[in-house]
């Protein structure tokens, strides 16, 4: 409807083209704006591990709104109170970490949707998402623009992956190779053959359930393989690593 903010990430995924993006861990919004103009399909604000306060997340959303890039928020956890606040400041696409069961996945879906589909509290007069109650019909249409991706990153989650992916309202599942490798007994070795095989099989399971599948893959040589396994969206970088690697280049001249 008129003035209703559309979910850019959902629109990108709907094209059928693999969506590539970068993790944002630097809380300064200038870094986010630089990345927003770099040409990636999406940028993820990492509220889980990055040093972001809620105001920082909102500032990042405001900065990215001027660019043709889809914002994703990775929340600290699946807390309904936290997710409500993130919805109100304008988040529409979520990756929620450490989801091990279908019950946990269902709780996340409920947290980001207004009744009767969920339990999101009404607060549109105070919400950036509704432009402070100036979007006609916002509460009747907001649920349709929410995109919920849960993160499977433990052996338990992989064991329950089919039921997690089949959970109504779950749009996709993201595989976290680093934590998964630790859960599998290969701490710090996400490239271990057993981990790579497990991730590939997980992506196939997610796609067979008709859901979007994604992962973070910083090894360029593995990206094509995971695309073949069904990955719809792939994180290919982290702003802190990109900055650090770029900075170390010129040091060779000194």
């Amino acid at each position: 409807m008129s003035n209703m903010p559309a979910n850019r990430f959902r629109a990108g995924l709907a094209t059928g083209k693999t969506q590539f993006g970068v993790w944002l861990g630097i809380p300064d919004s200038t870094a986010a704006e630089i990345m927003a103009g770099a040409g990636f399909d999406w940028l993820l604000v990492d509220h889980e591990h990055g040093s972001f306060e809620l105001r920082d997340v909102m500032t990042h959303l405001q900065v990215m709104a001027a660019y043709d890039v889809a914002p994703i928020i990775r929340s600290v956890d699946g807390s309904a109170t936290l997710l409500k606040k993130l919805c109100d400041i304008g988040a529409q696409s979520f990756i929620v970490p450490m989801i091990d069961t279908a019950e946990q996945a269902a709780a996340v879906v409920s947290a980001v949707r207004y009744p009767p589909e969920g339990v999101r509290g009404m607060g549109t007069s105070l919400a950036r998402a509704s432009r402070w109650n100036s979007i006609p019909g916002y509460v009747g249409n907001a649920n349709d623009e929410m995109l919920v991706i849960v993160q499977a990153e433990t052996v338990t989650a992989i064991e329950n992956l089919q039921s997690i992916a089949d959970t109504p309202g779950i749009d996709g599942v993201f595989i976290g190779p680093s934590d998964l490798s630790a859960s599998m007994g290969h701490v710090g070795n996400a490239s271990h053959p057993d981990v790579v095989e497990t991730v590939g099989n997980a992506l196939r399971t997610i796609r067979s359930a008709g859901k979007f599948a994604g992962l973070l893959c910083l090894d360029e040589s593995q990206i094509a393989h995971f695309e073949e396994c069904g990955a719809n969206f792939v994180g290919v970088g982290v702003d802190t690593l990109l900055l650090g690697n770029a900075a170390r280049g010129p040091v060779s001249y000194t």
Side-chain angles (χ1 to χ4, degrees), residues 107-249:
V108 172
V109 173
S110 179
V112 303
R113 283 172 165 76
Y114 285 126
E117 297 173 39
V119 297
R120 178 184 173 187
M122 298 289 179
T124 52
S125 295
L126 300 175
R128 173 179 176 268
S130 65
R131 295 177 185 159
W132 299 276
N133 215 24
S134 67
I135 300 177
Y138 173 81
V139 295
N141 293 274
N143 288 356
D144 294 336
E145 296 300 332
M146 292 297 170
L147 188 140
V148 179
I149 296 168
V150 292
Q151 195 161 342
E153 46 193 333
T154 66
V155 170
T156 299
I158 296 301
E159 292 172 347
N160 294 325
L161 186 57
Q162 187 67 59
S163 61
I164 291 171
D166 287 338
T167 301
I170 289 297
D171 296 287
V173 182
F174 180 91
I175 304 299
S178 294
D179 281 292
L180 179 58
S181 65
S183 181
M184 293 177 64
H186 304 295
V187 179
N189 187 10
S191 294
H192 189 282
D194 291 347
V195 178
V196 173
E197 181 181 9
T198 298
V199 171
N201 288 337
L203 295 171
R204 295 184 186 96
T205 296
I206 298 162
R207 289 300 301 276
S208 69
K211 304 300 175 71
F212 299 120
L215 80 161
L216 178 65
C217 182
L218 302 183
D219 184 344
E220 186 177 345
S221 68
Q222 292 185 339
I223 292 174
H225 166 70
F226 288 129
E227 281 192 271
E228 291 174 2
C229 292
N232 299 98
F233 62 102
V234 183
V236 294
V238 179
D239 60 357
T240 52
L241 296 180
L242 292 170
L243 176 61
N245 291 336
R248 283 185 283 271

